[in-house]
Structures are given as C-alpha cells and as structure tokens.
Amino acid sequence: MKKRNNSWVQRLFVGVLPLCLFSFLPIKAQLIVTDNRANAESQLRKLSIAEMAIKSLYVEEVDEQKLVEDAIRGMLEKLDPHSTYTTPKETKAMTEPLNGSFEGIGVQFNMVEDTLIVIQPVINGPSEKVGIVAGDRIVMVNDTAIAGVKMSKEEIMRRLRGPKGTIADLRIVRPGIKDLLTFKVKRDKIPVHTVDASYMLKPGVGYIRIGSFGATTYDEFKERMAQLKAEGMKDLVLDLQENGGGYLQAAADLAGEFLEPGDLIVYTEGRQVPRRDYKADRNGSFRQGRLVVLVDQFTASAAEIVTGAIQDQDRGLVVGRRTYGKGLVQRPIELLDGSMIRLTIAHYFTPSGRCIQKPYEKGDKKSYDKDLLNRLNSGELTNADSIHFADSLKYQTLKKQRTVYGGGGIMPDYFIPLDTTRYTRYHRELAAKSVIIQQNLRYVDKNRKALKKQYPDFAKFKAEFEIPQSLVDAIVKEGEKQNIKPKDDAEMQQTLPYLKLQMKALIARDLWDMNEYFSVFNEDSEAVKKALELLQ
C-alpha cells in the first residue's frame, strides 16, 4: 500500500512540476511564452484553413493527399538540402537496403530486352534451395507472364517479392531444356549486404569495400576482417569510395574497431540538440596494423565520419579526393500512413572540431546540387594545385598535430586526380543506353559453361582471360543501332582499355561474385596503387 501511495505522489508531483516552474517565471516571460504559443497555434490554424478551403472551394477537384504532401515538401524545401519528405513507397525503398534484409525469392537478375535472366541465386536462399540456377529465364510468376510483355523492372520485382512464407509459383525456361520448368519457391528473408567485397590485395594486405552503412554493416565487417586475418592480413585498405553513408551508429561502431577505447569518433550538436560525443567504447579488433582509407567526391555522411575519425586520430592515411561534405544529422519522423519526414536537427563534427557539412544557402538546392560539377569545372577533381584553403579552416590532428582542413568534406592526405581521359564520351553513351551491360549478359549467358570449364578458378581467369574481339564488335554494332558512334578512331582506341577492363570485371562478377569484380577492377585503380605504395 505504501508503494502505491508513493507512486501516486510521484505522478502528482511530475504533473504539477511544469505548473510550479511556470508560476515562478516573471510576468514578462509568461507573456512571451503565451504569445509564442498563441502565434504557433495561429500559424497551424492558418495552414489548416488553407487546406480546407482548397479542398472545399477550389474550382476543380484536388487530391487531398497530394495537396498535403506538396505543402510539407514546400516547407522543407526552404530549409537545408537534406531535410526531406518521402511517401510510404519511397520510405520503404529508402530504408530497406539499410535494414539488412527484404522478403522475396532470393535471386540476382537483370533484364535482356524483355526477359528476366537469373545472374545468380542467393547462396542458401529460397531459389537456390529448389534448384534455380544462373542462366534461368523466369517467364511467369503465379500465372502472370512477365516476359515478352514489356513489364517494368519495378513491377517484376513487386511480383517476385512478398511476405515471408508465401509461395511464388514460377515458370522457367532453361537453355538446353525443351519444356517449361515449374518451381514453387517459398519466399523468405533475403539478406542485403553493405560490405561489397573483401579479398587479399597482396600477401599481408587486405582490402574491404563498404557500399553503405546499414544495420548489419558492423557484423559484416567483423566477419570479413576475421576471414582476412585468417588469410594472413597485417595491413588494411578500407575502400569508402562512392559510399553515400547511412546509419551514424554503424559508422561509429566500425570506426571504433581501429581506435583506442575512449578515442572520440564524432560529435553532434544543434540548436535544440545538446552536444553528444561518440567514442570508441571497446578494444578494437584492428588497432595495430597499418590502415589506408580510400575516398572520393561521392563519399558522404557516415562514411565521412569514419574517414574524419581515422584522420583526426592519426590512425591511418586518407587517399583520394575531397569527400562530398554531408554533415547534417537528420531525425526520422514517421507519419501515420508510413510516410516520413527526415528533419535536420544537428551538425556532425570530427574529433578536431571540423564541421563536415559544406556551405549551402537555405532553399537553394539547385546551386547545392551543382557543387560537384563546380568542383570539376574549377579543376579541383583533376589538379591538386587548384585546391586552396583559407588559414581560418586549418585544424590540427589530435596525436601528431598534422594540419588538416575544414570547410566541408574530408580533404585526403594524398590526392588522386580524376582521370577524365579514360572514360570517353563514347563509353559514357554506351553505358547510359545499357549497351555494355546488355552485351555482357548475352555473352555470359551464351558462354557460361565454356568459361567455367576453361577457367575452373578465378586465379586462372584473372591471369589469362582477355576480352574477345567478337564481344567488342557486338558492343560497337549495338551502339551503331542506337546511333552511338566514336567521333574518330582516336576516340575508339582511347575507349578500348577501360571498356575491356570493365567487361572483364563484369564477367568475373557474373561467373563468381563481387570480390572477383573488384579484384579485376582494382588492378587499374590509381587509388589502390597509391595505397599499396604507402603500405610498402
């Protein structure tokens, strides 16, 4: 009984406390609070009246849901570039890759013209368990034709996905087999990996590429680290190029693997949000080996947090180009219909105090989106001499007092210029029209068995395989059909080396997986070459 009385007293005290605090405010302060509250209520009424008036009186019928969504977007557009609104469908598509899984049949696929071809079934996934193999064509799902009907890729994905435990009744054409095959696939949770690749670059040097920071990134990273250590890894190249970010906590957990307990990783602070420090809170699994981080102009947000922490704590070297400069913290506000507002509430700061966010003007997203183009035009991406920082942007690293720079993004310790000569206009147009990927799929689909027989392991493929002239000719011919032609023979010759490298990497991916793709691609990466040079 006594306990119940205490609880009742506590609840009464908590309820009365705000009134007690308010009663001691000066009369002027009370009036200000009252005026602010009344003003806020007045603005909300104004917004509500406007919405009701349009709905009830406008000359034509309006979509009320779209009206409200446009109003929300209109408010957010006047703020910073990263405060956004997403519909329920957009919210699901945005969060699914970061949440670590989705529910479906578990195949990697691509479309050749209007036919779905399985690139690979997910290992131990539902499709592999029932016998679906690479090269299969899925032509029907639950008695609905998806081949030859010009159905969008998004619509096909919607039909293949579904709640865990439901059945997808598939009809499949398999090369070499006359009759349609039938498979009943029980949908299940399919993992979404954020660690793209990991392998040994050379004896003693491991390589890990992280595509984004999601719910499973830290666990994936630890698993890949353990594998590489078992293969003799002493030093690590951490590739964060084109990593657009993700969850702050995932980035903080991963950075902690390289730092000493108590080392500051990042801190956040905003107008209504007090400073919060994120520190390494455990004995990291890789505190001794040498570390090089690769970044570029697309490395953003959570990836910049990891990069900034490693640089400021003098834990490793950063190689590449200045990162994107996304240092605003968004709080997700879930709405009743599944839509979401992601509202900026604070800034990220590196351990030395640098604000990661690049400058912007409120409401001017157009100029903000042109930043990378401006960097290219100014020469920043191609020439280190074009990069200049004011003395006011100088900061010192925490252990060695090296000079680093603020002003938005993370400036690398070693600059790697963007090579604009290797990726020609001709190559860009072939890629944009999907000519390269389509011809790659056709080639692998036709030659998969022969390739596997000739190259039973990846090491032999990497050392000996060369792109046949017939495949190059097929790409050129298909390009001509779509009015894509090189300007002259010089452009053609300039295009071929990078095109062949890309094709070899894609074939390796389709025959094996992403480790093999990056193993081929990184053979010609200036950033990787520089990392290996530094580690020597």
Side-chain angles (χ1 to χ4, degrees):
M1 187 70 176
K2 184 177 180 182
K3 184 176 180 181
R4 289 182 61 189
N5 286 339
N6 286 342
S7 177
W8 179 82
V9 171
Q10 288 170 359
R11 289 199 301 273
L12 177 64
F13 178 74
V14 170
V16 171
L17 183 59
L19 296 177
C20 293
L21 289 173
F22 183 76
S23 66
F24 286 104
L25 290 172
I27 297 297
K28 186 175 181 181
Q30 289 187 33
L31 290 174
I32 291 172
V33 172
T34 303
D35 287 347
N36 288 342
R37 186 178 298 164
N39 184 56
E41 290 175 353
S42 173
Q43 300 309 314
L44 286 172
R45 283 199 301 272
K46 184 191 293 187
L47 195 62
S48 179
I49 290 169
E51 190 272 335
M52 286 190 295
I54 294 170
K55 175 189 172 186
S56 303
L57 302 175
Y58 185 63
V59 64
E60 298 173 2
E61 188 174 348
V62 296
D63 183 332
E64 188 175 5
Q65 179 179 338
K66 187 176 185 302
L67 196 66
V68 172
E69 288 179 347
D70 287 346
I72 295 172
R73 287 194 175 99
M75 288 187 286
L76 295 175
E77 284 171 359
K78 299 301 180 183
L79 304 179
D80 65 276
H82 296 291
S83 289
T84 58
Y85 168 83
T86 51
T87 65
K89 184 178 180 181
E90 291 167 341
T91 300
K92 183 179 180 182
M94 179 181 67
T95 57
E96 201 171 62
L98 297 177
N99 288 337
S101 67
F102 64 91
E103 294 176 348
I105 67 169
V107 293
Q108 298 176 34
F109 72 90
N110 217 319
M111 304 296 295
V112 175
E113 294 174 348
D114 57 359
T115 302
L116 182 155
I117 296 181
V118 175
I119 302 301
Q120 288 178 346
V122 174
I123 296 174
N124 294 322
S127 290
E128 185 186 61
K129 288 177 180 177
V130 299
I132 293 173
V133 299
D136 282 352
R137 281 99 160 122
I138 301 177
V139 296
M140 295 182 72
V141 181
N142 295 336
D143 296 326
T144 299
I146 64 170
V149 293
K150 298 192 180 300
M151 187 179 290
S152 70
K153 192 173 182 178
E154 290 73 22
E155 178 63 17
I156 290 172
M157 288 176 64
R158 187 186 69 80
R159 293 178 181 277
L160 293 176
R161 293 184 178 185
K164 177 181 178 180
T166 58
I167 301 297
D169 190 356
L170 307 181
R171 300 290 189 276
I172 284 178
V173 172
R174 180 169 293 172
I177 295 180
K178 182 179 179 181
D179 298 326
L180 276 179
L181 303 177
T182 300
F183 293 93
K184 292 187 180 295
V185 182
K186 181 184 283 189
R187 297 182 179 96
D188 203 347
K189 282 194 173 294
I190 309 301
V192 177
H193 297 295
T194 56
V195 176
D196 292 337
S198 63
Y199 67 97
M200 296 296 290
L201 279 169
K202 58 177 290 186
V205 181
Y207 168 92
I208 295 180
R209 182 182 175 97
I210 301 176
S212 61
F213 285 90
T216 61
T217 301
Y218 180 57
D219 291 335
E220 290 180 53
F221 176 77
K222 288 197 299 182
E223 181 181 342
R224 300 293 186 106
M225 286 288 286
Q227 292 171 354
L228 292 177
K229 284 182 176 180
E231 295 178 40
M233 179 184 71
K234 303 297 182 185
D235 303 318
L236 175 66
V237 176
L238 178 64
D239 191 348
L240 299 181
Q241 295 176 100
E242 300 181 12
N243 183 316
Y247 293 151
L248 165 60
Q249 192 59 55
D253 288 342
L254 190 139
E257 289 297 292
F258 305 112
L259 303 175
E260 299 293 332
D263 280 352
L264 181 62
I265 295 168
V266 68
Y267 66 91
T268 60
E269 195 169 21
R271 181 177 65 89
Q272 294 288 341
V273 179
R275 172 169 169 161
R276 179 181 177 184
D277 291 355
Y278 292 79
K279 297 182 178 181
D281 61 359
R282 60 176 68 86
N283 287 319
S285 63
F286 195 74
R287 291 181 295 152
Q288 303 303 321
R290 292 177 296 174
L291 176 64
V292 177
V293 183
L294 308 184
V295 299
D296 63 13
Q297 65 273 24
F298 301 111
T299 303
S301 189
E304 293 177 286
I305 289 172
V306 175
T307 306
I310 289 170
Q311 188 179 56
D312 280 8
Q313 294 290 356
D314 290 298
R315 175 60 188 88
L317 296 173
V318 180
V319 171
R321 293 179 287 279
R322 180 163 67 97
T323 61
Y324 184 85
K326 196 275 186 184
L328 296 175
V329 185
Q330 281 75 48
R331 174 174 291 170
I333 301 169
E334 297 181 12
L335 304 179
L336 295 177
D337 62 350
S339 60
M340 179 183 289
I341 292 172
R342 299 180 75 245
L343 186 66
T344 296
I345 60 167
H347 285 87
Y348 292 126
F349 296 88
T350 70
S352 67
R354 291 181 287 169
C355 179
I356 293 173
Q357 179 62 41
K358 60 189 175 184
Y360 63 89
E361 294 289 336
K362 286 184 179 179
D364 188 5
K365 194 171 186 302
K366 186 176 181 180
S367 296
Y368 186 81
D369 290 340
K370 287 183 177 179
D371 175 63
L372 295 183
L373 179 61
N374 292 338
R375 292 194 206 181
L376 178 63
N377 291 336
S378 70
E380 178 186 325
L381 300 182
T382 56
N383 192 335
D385 293 337
S386 299
I387 305 169
H388 304 285
F389 293 99
D391 288 343
S392 60
L393 298 176
K394 284 185 178 180
Y395 290 79
Q396 302 297 314
T397 60
L398 302 188
K399 292 182 172 64
K400 297 182 179 179
Q401 283 71 56
R402 295 184 301 123
T403 297
V404 289
Y405 291 93
I410 306 296
M411 187 66 194
D413 302 303
Y414 293 89
F415 176 76
I416 301 294
L418 177 68
D419 187 352
T420 58
T421 61
R422 67 192 310 212
Y423 195 43
T424 64
R425 175 208 57 84
Y426 179 53
H427 193 161
R428 288 196 300 273
E429 291 187 10
L430 289 172
K433 293 291 184 67
S434 299
V435 173
I436 296 172
I437 193 71
Q438 291 289 319
Q439 292 304 315
N440 168 72
L441 287 168
R442 286 192 175 95
Y443 176 78
V444 173
D445 187 51
K446 182 179 179 181
N447 298 282
R448 185 183 299 274
K449 288 184 179 179
L451 288 168
K452 278 289 192 178
K453 183 177 180 180
Q454 186 175 357
Y455 304 103
D457 59 72
F458 172 67
K460 182 176 175 65
F461 173 89
K462 185 178 179 181
E464 300 178 6
F465 178 79
E466 294 184 2
I467 297 297
Q469 185 60 40
S470 60
L471 180 51
V472 175
D473 292 341
I475 293 171
V476 172
K477 185 177 181 180
E478 182 60 31
E480 289 174 348
K481 287 182 181 178
Q482 301 191 40
N483 201 30
I484 304 170
K485 300 176 182 179
K487 180 176 62 177
D488 49 33
D489 187 61
E491 186 179 27
M492 184 68 192
Q493 295 307 313
Q494 189 179 343
T495 300
L496 285 176
Y498 190 59
L499 175 63
K500 289 182 177 180
L501 177 71
Q502 182 184 17
M503 292 300 298
K504 184 173 180 177
L506 287 169
I507 293 167
R509 179 202 66 181
D510 292 351
L511 293 178
W512 288 279
D513 210 336
M514 293 303 290
N515 288 352
E516 289 73 20
Y517 172 88
F518 282 103
S519 180
V520 171
F521 220 90
N522 285 337
E523 285 291 301
D524 200 41
S525 165
E526 294 301 322
V528 171
K529 290 177 183 177
K530 184 63 178 180
L532 290 173
E533 177 190 322
L534 292 170
L535 290 174
Q536 288 175 354

